Structure formats: structure tokens, C-alpha cells
Amino acid sequence: MTTSKLVYMFEEGDKSMKMLLGGKGANLAEMTKTGLPVPYGFTITTDVCKAYYENGKKHSPLLDEQMMEAVRKLEAKTGKKFNDSKNPLLVSVRSGAPASMPGMMDTILNLGMNDVVVKTIANTTNNERFALDSYRRFITMFANVVMEADRMKFENLMDEIKHKNNIKLDNEMTTEMLRELVEKFKELYKQETNEDFPQDPIEQLKRARDAVFRSWMNDRAVVYRRLNHVPSDWGTAVNVQEMVFGNTGEDSGTGVAFTRNPSTGENKFYGEFLMNAQGEDVVAGIRTPNKVEELEKILPKVYQELVDIRTKLEEHYHDMQDFEFTIEHEKLYMLQTRNGKRTAQAAVKIAVDMVNEGLISKEEAVLRLEPAALDQLLHKQFDTNALKLATPLTEGLPASPGAAVGKVVFNAEDAKSWAAKGEKVILARLETSPEDIEGMHSSVGILTARGGMTSHAAVVARGMGKCCVSGCDEIVMDEAGKKFTCKGSVVKEGDIISLNGSTGQVYVGSIPVVEPSLSGDFGTIMKWADEFRTLKIRTNADTPHDAKIAREFGAEGIGLVRTEHMFFESTRIKAVREMILAKDLEGRKKALAKIEPFQQQDFEGIFTAMDGLPVIIRMLDPPLHEFLPKHDQVKEIEELSKELNTTPKQIEETIASLHEFNPMLGFRGCRLAVVYPEIMEMQVRAIFNAALSVSAKGIKALPEIEVPLVGNIKEYTPLAELTHRIAEETGAKGKIHYTVGTMIEVPRAALTSDVLAKEVDFMSFGTNDLTQMTCGFSRDDAVKFLGKYVEKGIYEQDPFQTIDQEGVGLLMKHAVKLAREVKKDIDIGICGEHGGDPRTVEFCHNIGMSNVSCSPYRVPIARLAAAQAAIKQRTGNDQQKFNK
Amino acid sequence: MTTSKLVYMFEEGDKSMKMLLGGKGANLAEMTKTGLPVPYGFTITTDVCKAYYENGKKHSPLLDEQMMEAVRKLEAKTGKKFNDSKNPLLVSVRSGAPASMPGMMDTILNLGMNDVVVKTIANTTNNERFALDSYRRFITMFANVVMEADRMKFENLMDEIKHKNNIKLDNEMTTEMLRELVEKFKELYKQETNEDFPQDPIEQLKRARDAVFRSWMNDRAVVYRRLNHVPSDWGTAVNVQEMVFGNTGEDSGTGVAFTRNPSTGENKFYGEFLMNAQGEDVVAGIRTPNKVEELEKILPKVYQELVDIRTKLEEHYHDMQDFEFTIEHEKLYMLQTRNGKRTAQAAVKIAVDMVNEGLISKEEAVLRLEPAALDQLLHKQFDTNALKLATPLTEGLPASPGAAVGKVVFNAEDAKSWAAKGEKVILARLETSPEDIEGMHSSVGILTARGGMTSHAAVVARGMGKCCVSGCDEIVMDEAGKKFTCKGSVVKEGDIISLNGSTGQVYVGSIPVVEPSLSGDFGTIMKWADEFRTLKIRTNADTPHDAKIAREFGAEGIGLVRTEHMFFESTRIKAVREMILAKDLEGRKKALAKIEPFQQQDFEGIFTAMDGLPVIIRMLDPPLHEFLPKHDQVKEIEELSKELNTTPKQIEETIASLHEFNPMLGFRGCRLAVVYPEIMEMQVRAIFNAALSVSAKGIKALPEIEVPLVGNIKEYTPLAELTHRIAEETGAKGKIHYTVGTMIEVPRAALTSDVLAKEVDFMSFGTNDLTQMTCGFSRDDAVKFLGKYVEKGIYEQDPFQTIDQEGVGLLMKHAVKLAREVKKDIDIGICGEHGGDPRTVEFCHNIGMSNVSCSPYRVPIARLAAAQAAIKQRTGNDQQKFNK
């Protein structure tokens, strides 16, 4: 496994050598190669680490030989020497694995310090305090990392001295105090390790190097690798680099800069620096840093050098860079550069600008954007500065993004009536149910104490593009009392609260909100995305309103109209209940006839909104008991019995007879249509009559009728026949182009998709139910253990948010393959929550699906993710993934 | 498709020509070939039927040509002629498809009758009444079958005449009345069809033939074929056969006989006959038939002929035959022979006898038995004669076979206390729950008003081998009032009832019971079965008692010990509840320590009973809330709170927090062990300590530790590690041979069985859960629609009784294949209800599984089914299936 070359000077490598030199080593080599002023150094390869573990923690004799050779070269390049009485060399020793493992392994700075060198440095820098401070830091790190001494004991010693002298901050310590501290540290070191603090820099280096190799196998690192699927035989490299200091006087300094503005994306140099300071001082925020432009006045030559580097970096890396620099006695050093983090808005602007500047291709621009981050561009947000000043009352789950400010109400009725009076309201509920839909519509935000990311509230709110925080379990909800309490605070009806649906935070009071800006750059990049994309993007929409929004966001059709929400509307719920309580077919038909005109109106609205685009309409899916009052809603039952001219007892009996032990696996979906075909007949008739009616107005309706929860072809066949019969009866046959298809939600359907494909026109994976049944846990109940499961890495992500590719995904892949063997071009899509998840979209593209459908506000995200998947597949480019 | 030969004389065919001649035609040909005195005739092939439909219901001109040729041959053989003035030929025209479709298509008898022939026959038979009766039957059938006239109109005419003459039965009609009737029938015929009744026998024949071909496509036949998977392009043949009459005088007669006694299996001629009668008279039971031996006195020559035929039949068909004969003027005719139906007891005796007589091989003997019928031999039964006289009160589901008589009690407590006093009791419940287990043990039978074939009551009763009738939905159960009502009758505590668990019937009062007889023949045939069988048969047993019974029935190990039943026992349920209510790990461990000694005792008992045989023990599986009182059991909660020194409110809160929407898909199985490993640790420790303890007494324990509900290898790995750790801690490592494996219940586990197979020692399909999740319906809720589904043929059988081979079975096959690719010899079994279903056992054998496990009383059934599967696979013999 080991080659004979074990040590590389930075100038000998480049970024392609990540596996051998580790990420940091390859990056330092690349910067060096690019001609950037990087402090000199060398990298000991990952092969050495592998050999170290293979040979029982021993090194080849070659290693020390090559390392000494590298030290000699380093001394020559820097003009410094270990232990030199005039210009002593200090180095840092850092880990660096092929995959980023932030903070998991060890680092040692200021190596080369000893009792003599500290004095030399005090003299040459004329700064004894700096020399002593560097020495005490080195002793602590060496003791802790190499000798595994307890870091706390060192910190306690320092606290004692600070306490004795009545000071609080480290930088208030005087030279005298530091001198005392160094002596005490050396004593402590001896006490803890039974040896004197080692004075020979070469011995220090060898021992530090091996400590870094050992840290590859520390507990934290092992767990991190297991969770992140980093193979343990990759090993880490060790980087040895000349130390440079920005705190050696007023001609020194340190800073952080971005090649463009990471907040707005503006193509303008952006950064901060502090003179006579170390990197951590900039971050700590004790002194206020200067803007990078101000350096021009202080050190004009260095500033010009930085400006040149900015250009060079972008030309070399083809992306906005975030870099760290240090100035040591007017000499500029580059310590690190990496792709800079940026807001979604900046990401869009930078990507478009860079294409226009000829720095990157359109494909690269599309690949650059993080699809999930687009959410920020599509929803209201709190003003960033105002948010910094606010303290959240509590935090729930970020169930549906955006920001909302309004008066709290505690039931759907109040939400409607308050909204009718012009109030902005936030609906707070223990959990929502289908009866709350209208109240949710009337609210600007929804807050629930119970329920996860896929609870009713969360799903419906995302569908509406409405801000929602769910599962706020610190809240004790008192709906009847119209108040909630949280950590002692009481929030009453009418009180103003603010919800951040993007973070899950809940605030008392009002926080200023900024509107989303759909700038021209955003449109440009989405247009590029559409050029590359092959997967069609549809939307899940139950209303003309949602359909319109989604169409504006680029939806190419509706992938799922859920008809059950329509059944709950106050104008028709009575007829629905009448149907359920009917004693015979005739009674059911009579009640259904009352619902039919409403259904036809629903579909006319949706067809009109989607003129010319296909619309998948799912037949009634939920178990019938969902439409009845609950068994303990005595008052509702009594009212209903009067309305329907029956007795409360009879209604209670129906409720009891419809009770299910596992409603998820109960009498729902196409099972309803198989047993009560008249319900589906009514829906299909309403669809065809709606299509005919809008056609007369010149609108093109393309209904796709979807049978849910099919597990067996023999459930489907008679229902498809029913549909064709109604098409004839209504006169739609030959006039309206329609198709009939099925959802794939039941594992049995996926397993027999070849049999289904022979008969159906299209298939659509209902991945929520498919996940529930394939993994054997219901999304409502899994909250009890799924958190623990994700924490333990049993599932990498919540499988209700991102498709479990190794399980559910395997089944989907199998089903697509089987179906395409029978009917090559069959339309296969996905609807449900997963359709808007970028990783899932990529997976759907890769297994050869035709379309995905997601909530309106996720349509742009899905478009982008689909484009990225297509580009990656075409170019085999998985670099992107690796760089994350 | 058609060959040039369209018509076969009976003597030209044989039984191998079923596809061409149909079942009946091939059978008549075979009997003819065997030299049996079959009335002469010919068969028009199924090819003619196919061509008829392919050519728009037209025949090739060849057909009439060949049919006339066949008629001429028939006339020559019989010495009779159509329309002959001395000896006129009458024939029957019958359908006969390659697959049996009883009663689905049409038949016409007495064809050839007309106004002249009726007189000729009246003269030659000297029996005008007979001639007229035959003619009026022919007219009715022809009108109905050929002309599609309403049969009721003919029957009404006959009723009128009977009413006018004040008689009730057909055979009371005089010659005069029949003469009048024939005239009226001919008038009615003309009125209904606008033609005179056709007098030309050849025209009659052609029209009857085509009517039979048309009946292939009648609604009944089409539905029957769809439900029974008979391809509609097979077509039917038409058989034309000389009529013979047993009612032409005292030298004529008719009878039915079996070559051996179908009730006991005794090798003795067995049958009944009536002189001067038609077949339907024997069946109708109006006259009491004579025993076949008595024929020796009446017609000694014919009797001897019959005795010879009996021997010939068995020599030819190698099975006990059930045949029909007619004697026309002292001449014997064979009308039909087929394998005779028999009791299970007879089946066993006949099979063993025939092997001893050299008639069949052991393989054939084993294949002959219907595995499901063995149930009769393994349980108590009601006395057949007594049963005939009893009228059931109601009928439920035959949930667990056997017969039980006892006094009704309405709760488990009473069952125990009454049984302790020596009473035989039947436990009647709305539905049973785990708390009823001890009460069920104390009862001789169980009756529930709710729940299906796989309800708690049914599963547990079958496990105990106890008679159970479940889902008696006509019963209104009043447990509190200690009574039930059914159709107006009230049954109170202490009343005696009788349950037939094999039919589901419930009787008020006591019916005599006979004990099962496990005769020597039964043992012999099971020994043969074991010689051929390759699949291992295990049992599901939770107690040493069940384990012992199963071992006596031939179980080769335990495939499933459910540990949860043990948790419900009154001695430990308190500690179980204490564990669930504990606030922290320490509290849980304290409670578990109380349960551990009991668990160890449980396992010691089972290991002792199964000395030397492997025992799969499943870790705790059900959701924890099952062990707590229900939320409305106020009294129980209060008692529990006192016992555990807590408040009712806290218990209520725990119950509420454990509530699940879909408990099937909830927090159970290995999910419990992942979150609370201490529970599994306790169980594993109890297993190893039990094994060590019995080892000290010279007993060989072979524990196989099973992790339930695994869906992801990452759930399994740490639990296997836990097991190995406990093996070391208890000192079992190296001393006790143990294995660790998993159930395959979650579709995801089946889909990734290759990944699992790398780590597990064994796998066992939990097909109940696998079916629920793969098909997406819970067995408790599916009752609402599954009946309708089976009725509509969506599932051929209840998938909870017989594996759904086209769905769930596909997944199992896939999983076995994947697992064996990774670990060729891995033990793969099945436990749960399906393990005792013969079709499922055959399927398990065919997909390469290693073992099946079933309830103790089904072990012999599974042994036999496994042997049959092995024989069929070896010989490729699927004839058996076809003959059914």
C-alpha cells in the first residue's frame, strides 16, 4: 500500500491528490502551486497512516529519513531553523483526511518552542508577552494531545492566576503573570506525565505527528466516520507548516475576506481585518475589525497584493472564495481558501454573474446552487437584524418555511371570523385535523404543540405555502381556555406572536418581515435549469389557487389533486355524512347526488387554472370515519342526528362500526371504490362533466384519473372499466383526452408493477404510504423512536423527508424496471412529500422516472434538483457530492 | 387449431385426451377402453367449440358429415335407430370441458323423442307412463336449453294439473295426466318459440349440440372460469350417448357404489340400489334403497358382474372408486366412475392398504391424502349421528378445530374458578385479549362474538389445540350481565352449549363427543411422509405443555416461542407494569430483575421439553401499552397506582403517551430493544442461565435467539453484539451452542435480505406481519372488505390463511434467493399461522426454504404437505392438482 515517497513538500502536490495528501494538504499544495503566498510546509501522506495501523502502530524507517529531509528543505525555504538562536522555526502540526471531519482530530500549534526559543523570540520580536503566550499555548496542546493529560487542569491553573490578580479575560494577563503561568504549566506537565517538558523540536515533532495519527482512531472520529460513511481505512495525512503570526506588532495583522459579497452576491471585495491580532481575535469580536478597503491606507502594498489574490483565486477556483490571511511584519500569507458560504440570494447572483463573466458554464452555475436553499427566496423572512435582537420563546419543528406575525387564535372558527374582520391571525392548535383547513387558509401562520414534519398541519401548510411551526412540545396548549403556556409565560387569544417557519422558532411580539425578492437572476438560472432537466415537474394542488401559484413557479401539470379535502368543506360535509350513514345503495346515491355539483365546480376551477396541462385526480382515499364526528363529540353527534333525521345512537353505532385498529392499513383507498363503486362513479362523472363544461369555453382539460392504494391488478381493472363506462355515459369519450392510472403505495403494487403496467396508463409512487408499509412504521407513531433511530444512524435521514434509497428506493427501482419492461414509455411519477426533496428528486431521475410532483412552493427547488441530476448523470460529475 | 378429426367414438379415446375430449368424454372413453359396459356414444371435440367461436358461431361443413357418420356407427352398435318404429334410439347430449365446471353448462336428455317415438316406446316397454314422462322431460329441457324459453312456465303448467287433481308429487301423476301435460307442453312450446316442437331427431341433435356450445359462454360459466382461472379458449366438448333407463320395469334398476367403505376405509364393497328407478330416485331418498349385497339375490349375474367391475376399477384406477350404474332389463351399464370422496380415517386406511396390496407406491399413498383433512384425526369430534339431529343456534368461523361441550362462563376469572371445581367450561367473550390466556387454558372451548380466523382467540386456541368458534356476529354478548342473546334466545352463565370448531356451529345443549383415534395406519403413513420430506417441521409453542404435544406429533424443534404471553401471567404482570412506568433506566432494571427469575424458569421448562432440539425464542414483540390497563379501566388503574405507589393520573398519562394511531406500525419489536436494550438483556440473560442450568442436569439446550421486526441491518447488529456480550457475561459462551437471527416481517427486511444474511445465523418469515405490510391491510381491519375481496376473486384465498403467492410470495422468493446468494445454507423458516397451511408449506418447499413452524396440532399436516411437495417436485407430478 505504501509507496516509497512518504512526504510531499507543498509545492509537490495539487488538489487532485486528496486521497494521498488529505483535503487540507491537497488544498495547501494547490494554493502553493497557484503562486499564492502560503507559509511553507510539507504533508506526510495518508499511506503512512494506513501503514502505521497495519504494522501495529510502527513506522517504516524511511519515514523519519524523509521527514528530516523535508524539515531541512523547510528550514532552507523559510530561512528559519529549529532551535535557532536568531530566527527559530515554529510549525503547526495538523491532521487532514481525504474527507472533511471538522474538529474530530487533533492540532498542535507553535511546535518548536522551548525554554531557549521563547527567549529568542521575546528578543527578536521585542514582545516577551507574545513569546510567553505562544509557549503556554504550546505546552497545553502538547500535554493534552500527545500525552493525553487533562486540559482542564491547565485551564484551572490559568484561572487561579487570573482570579488572584482579579482579572477576567486572557488578554488582560500581563507578561509577569504569563511568566509565572509558563513555569506552573511545566511543573504540571511533569506531575502529569512523569517527564520534563521535551525541549528538542524534532522529538516534539515526531511525537506530535504520531499523536495526530492516533487521533484517527479516537472515539469521536470513529463515530463520525460511521455516521458519515467515511471508510476507516482511508487514514489521515499530517500537515507540518511554518507558523506565521499576525500579533507581532502594528505592522502585522490578520483577516478574513470573501471575493464577493456573501450576503448580496455583489461582485465587490468584502472582508475584515485587525492589526496586531491573531485569527481568533477577529472571530471573538472583542475588538471591532476594520473593513478590508481600509487596509489600503495602512499597508497599500499588501492591500494591492490582496486585491490581486482575489482575482487570482476566482480565476483559479471558479467560485466565490472565503479566505484567511495573516500579515507578519508587512508580509502577506494565505492560510486557507475555500468556496465561500453565501445566502441563497447571493448564490443566485454569483452564479449568474460568473456565467456572464465567462468564469463558469451554465451547467456549473446550475450545479452550484443548493436546491433546498431556494426556499429562502420563495417565502417571507424576518429582517435579519431585527431577528438578532429577538429571543425566541421556544422552538418547534420548521414545518413550513417563511415568517408570520399575527394575533393568536385557538380554533378554526375564530381564525375565520377574525380574518374576516381584517385581522392577521396565527392559528394555534394542539394538532390540526381536516376540519381546520378553512381556518388554516384564513391564518398567516400555524403553530401546533404536537406532530412532526409530516403531520397534518405540516403537510397542509406546505401545500398552502403557509408558514408553520409544528411539534412545539414545550407548549402546553389549552384550546378550550384560549391560551397556551410555555416555560411559565402565558400567551392568550389576541396576543401577537411571530413564527419562523424556516427555523421553528416562536417569538412573543412582532418582528419586522421582509418580502421575498424573485429577482431577474433567479428567473435566469431557472431557465437554464429547465434547459438541462429531463424530469417533468408537477405540483400537488387541491385548489385552483394553489394550482395557479404552482403554474407561476413552473409546474408542468398537477401530479396529485386530493379530493378528500373538498369533502370537508362546510357546504358538503353534511351530504358526505348522509352518504356514510345511508342504509343502502339508494340512500348513498341520493347523498352523492348532492355532492356531485360541488365536485364538478372544484374540477372546473382546477382545469381552468391548468388549461392545457395534465391533472392527476386521485379518487377518494381516507377511511370514511374521518368524515364523522369523533365518538366523544356528543354535541356534534346530536346536531348531526337532527340534521339527518336519525338518532344519536345510530350515529354512534356507525362511528363504532367504522372504528379501525390500524386505519393506515384499513378500509380506504380503492377499497372504498371496490365496495362502494357509486362513490367513484360520482367523482368520475364530476370530472368528465367538468372537463366538458370548460371545453365549451375553449379551455383544454387533460384529466388523469388515479386509483389510490391498489395492491392487486384485480382491484384496478373493474375501476378502470367503470371509468370508461362513465366516459361513454357522459359523452366525454372521444371529446376529452383522459387517462387512467394508479398510485404505487402498497409494496405489493410495486412488486407486481409489471402486471399493473399492462393495464394502467400511468403510475405515481405515493412514497409516504410506501415508506410506511415498506419500513413498517407509521409516520404518526414513529416519532416515538425515529429520532433515536436517526441519531444512532440506523436511518441516515428521516425516511419521510428523503427517500430511504437502500430500502424503499430499492423497491421503487425494481418497480420502475419491471414496469418499463412491459411498457417502455409509461409515465411514472412520484407525489407526496418526497417529491420536493432534492436528494429524492435526484434519485427519481437516476432510476428513470418521468416526473415528480411536489407542493407549489417547492416546484422551483424540484426543477433545480432535476436539472442538477441530469447534468451530473450526463457528465458523471460527482465531484459536487465529494466537496460537501 | 382444428384437426380434420372432429368426432371420436368413445372407443377411440382415452383419459390422456382430456384437453381434446373434455373431462367427461375422456373418462367415458377410458371406461370403454377398460372394457366396462358403458352405453355407446361419441364425443365432439373442444376444437369444434374453439372453431365455432373463432368463425362467428359457424361450423365447418366437415362437422355434420362426421357427426352423421358417428350417429350411423352408434345406431349400428346399439342396434337402435333414430325414429325407428321398433327400437328407437334416444340419446343424452352433455357438455364436458377439460376442467370440471359442475352445473355451469347445459344437458339435454331423452333426445330422439317425438310424437311417434313416444308411442313406439310406450308399446315396446309396455309402459306408457314412462314414455310420456320421458317425452315431457325432453320437451322442457329442449325448450329451455335450446330455445331459451322460461322453464318456470313449464313447471307452472305441471303444478296446475297436479293442483287440479289434488296431488303433490311428480310420481303421483297418472298416465292420463301426463298425456294431457305433453299436449299442453307442446302448445306452450309453440307459443313461446313460434314453431312446432321439432320432430326430426337429427335436427334435434344439431340444435342441442350448438346450444351446448353456446352455453360455454353463458354468464355463469364465464364468471366460474374467471374465478377458477380456467382459460376461456379451452372450449367444451359435447358428448352424445345412448340413453339407458333403470325405470323400465322390475328387471331394471339403478345404484351408486364405492369400491371400499368411504367412511371407515374397510376393503369391502359398499353401495346402494333401487329396482325400477332412476338415478335421482336414489338420491332423493323417497324410497329406501337396498344394500348392494342384496342384489345378489335379485339378479345374481348382474351382481357378479358388478363385483368383477369393482376389482377391475381399482386395478385400473389405483384408487377407491365411486361409480354409478344402471340396469336396463337385466343388462348392466356403467354411467360414471370417479375417485371416491372419503373421511380422513378412510383415506389413511385405504392408502396404507393399497400400498400393502401392491396397488400403489408409498409416494402415491402420501400424495393421496388431503393434508387439511388430517385435522379430523387429531381432534375430538361430535358423534355424526347425533349431529344430524341437532339444530345449530348460530354459526361463526371454524377458528380452531375439534368439539367441545361445557357450561358457559363470561370471563377468565370464572373460567379458572369453575374449572378448579371440576366443571367443564366454555369461555364466551366479545373478543379475547392476552389477559384471558389463563382462562382459555382452563376452558374446553372458546366462543367469541368478534374477530376473524386470525384473531387473538383463534390464534391462541389453535396454539393450545383447543376448540374455538370466533366471530359469531349474530351473538350479542353481555359480559357484565353474564349472558348472551342470539336470535331471541338467551344463554346464561352455567347453561350448557356445544361448539363445533371444525364447522363454526354453536348448539344449545350437549352433543355426544367421540375421541380422536390415532390408529396405526396414521403412524405408518406419517413415517412414509418423513422419508420423502426435506423441509424440517417445527412448532410454535410458548409453554412446555405445548412443546411436548408438538414433539409427540413429530416437531423437530420450536420455530417460535412468543415471550410476551409469559409477561401477562399474574405472577409477573405487576413487575412488567412497574418497568413500563419506571422513570429511568435504573427503575426499569429494578423491575426487570423481578421478572428475570420467572423468565429463566419458562425457558428451563421449554428447553427440557425440547431436549436436543433447537428452540427459536423471539424477543419481546408487542407495543408496551398492551401490558397496561385500557384508559377506561378506572378501577384497574386505581389498584395499579396503589400497588406501584404512584397516582392514577400518572398511569393515565403513561397510557396516553403510549397511545398509537397504528399500533401495528408502531413502537414494538426490535424497536423496543433498540431504545430499551435492558429489556432484551434481561431476556437473553434468562435464556443463557436457563440453558446452563438444564445443561447441568444433562439436558441439551439449543437456543436460537430471534430479533423481531427488523427492517434495517443497523437495528440488528448492536442487538447481536448485545447477545454475544451476555453470552460471555453469563459464561454460556463456548458451553451452550446458540445462534442469533431475525424475523423477516417488514418488507424492507425481505428486500435487503442479502445484507441481513451476511450477519444473521437464521431467518424466519413472520408471514402475518409480512402480509399485512406487503398488502397494506391489517388483519383486524381487513374483515370490513376482505370477504368482499375473496368473493370477487381479487384474492383467491384469504391471504392470512394461505400465502398470497403472487404478491407476498414473490417477495419471499426474492428474499430467499438474495439470502442464499450470500450464505448458501442459511436456515430460512416461516412461523406464524401460514406455517400450518398445506398450500403454503408446498410453496415454502418450492422456493427453497429450510423449515416451517406451525401450531402443535398442525405439525402432522405440515409433515404430510412437505412430503407431498418433495414428491411432486421430484416427479414433476402436478396431476394431483389437476384432478381436484
Side-chain angles (χ1 to χ4, degrees), chain A residues 229 431 450 631 656-668 670-672 674-675 677 709 711-712 714-715 718 746-749 751-752 754 772-778 780-782 784-785 788-789 792-796 804-808 810-811 814, chain B residues 229 431 450 631 656-668 670-672 674-675 677 709 711-712 714-715 718 746-749 751-752 754 772-778 780-782 784-785 788-789 792-796 804-808 810-811 814:
Chain A
H229 304 286
E431 53 196 328
R450 279 207 210 141
H631 71 277
S657 79
L658 290 176
H659 171 261
E660 297 191 300
F661 299 97
N662 294 285
M664 243 286 306
L665 304 176
F667 187 24
R668 53 180 279 251
C670 71
R671 296 161 194 170
L672 295 170
V674 169
V675 178
L709 214 71
N712 189 318
K714 291 180 203 153
E715 292 170 295
V746 175
R748 196 183 188 283
L751 289 164
T752 59
D754 48 348
Q772 298 193 89
M773 295 183 201
T774 304
C775 295
F777 38 66
S778 97
D780 292 319
D781 301 310
K784 294 204 175 70
F785 55 87
K788 194 106 181 175
Y789 266 44
K792 290 194 174 211
I794 293 175
Y795 285 92
E796 267 178 73
D804 155 39
Q805 294 189 19
E806 289 156 23
V808 179
L810 213 59
L811 183 57
H814 179 69
Chain B
H229 302 288
E431 53 196 327
R450 279 205 209 143
H631 72 277
S657 79
L658 290 176
H659 171 261
E660 297 191 301
F661 298 98
N662 295 285
M664 243 289 304
L665 304 176
F667 187 24
R668 62 184 198 98
C670 70
R671 296 160 195 171
L672 295 170
V674 169
V675 178
L709 214 72
N712 189 317
K714 291 180 202 155
E715 292 170 297
V746 175
R748 197 184 189 282
L751 289 164
T752 59
D754 48 347
Q772 298 193 88
M773 295 183 201
T774 304
C775 295
F777 38 67
S778 97
D780 292 319
D781 300 311
K784 294 205 176 70
F785 54 88
K788 194 105 183 177
Y789 265 45
K792 290 194 174 208
I794 294 174
Y795 286 92
E796 266 178 74
D804 155 40
Q805 294 190 19
E806 289 156 24
V808 180
L810 212 61
L811 184 57
H814 180 69

Side-chain angles (χ1 to χ4, degrees), chain B residues 232-306:
Chain B
S232 66
D233 62 3
W234 276 7
T236 183
V238 175
N239 298 292
V240 178
Q241 188 178 24
E242 175 193 8
M243 291 291 302
V244 291
F245 298 94
N247 56 346
T248 48
E250 286 309 317
D251 58 350
S252 298
T254 190
V256 174
F258 294 83
T259 55
R260 301 185 187 218
N261 186 315
S263 178
T264 63
E266 201 185 355
N267 187 356
K268 208 182 140 201
F269 198 18
Y270 182 92
E272 295 175 333
F273 71 97
L274 274 174
M275 295 311 282
N276 197 11
Q278 278 190 301
E280 61 198 55
D281 300 327
V282 183
V283 180
I286 294 162
R287 287 156 61 190
T288 305
N290 307 96
K291 292 199 168 164
V292 75
E293 305 91 281
E294 293 169 33
L295 188 61
E296 192 169 9
K297 286 178 205 145
I298 305 169
L299 294 171
K301 225 188 83 215
V302 173
Y303 179 71
Q304 191 50 48
E305 216 178 326
L306 267 182

Side-chain angles (χ1 to χ4, degrees), chain B residues 639-655:
Chain B
E639 277 169 23
L640 184 61
S641 74
K642 279 180 200 150
E643 278 178 18
L644 298 182
N645 207 10
T646 175
T647 61
K649 188 155 173 263
Q650 211 192 334
I651 295 176
E652 280 159 18
E653 278 173 12
T654 304
I655 293 172

Side-chain angles (χ1 to χ4, degrees), chain A residues 714-727:
Chain A
K714 291 180 203 153
E715 292 170 295
Y716 174 83
T717 311
L719 298 176
E721 284 165 6
L722 175 159
T723 305
H724 298 312
R725 174 168 58 75
I726 306 267

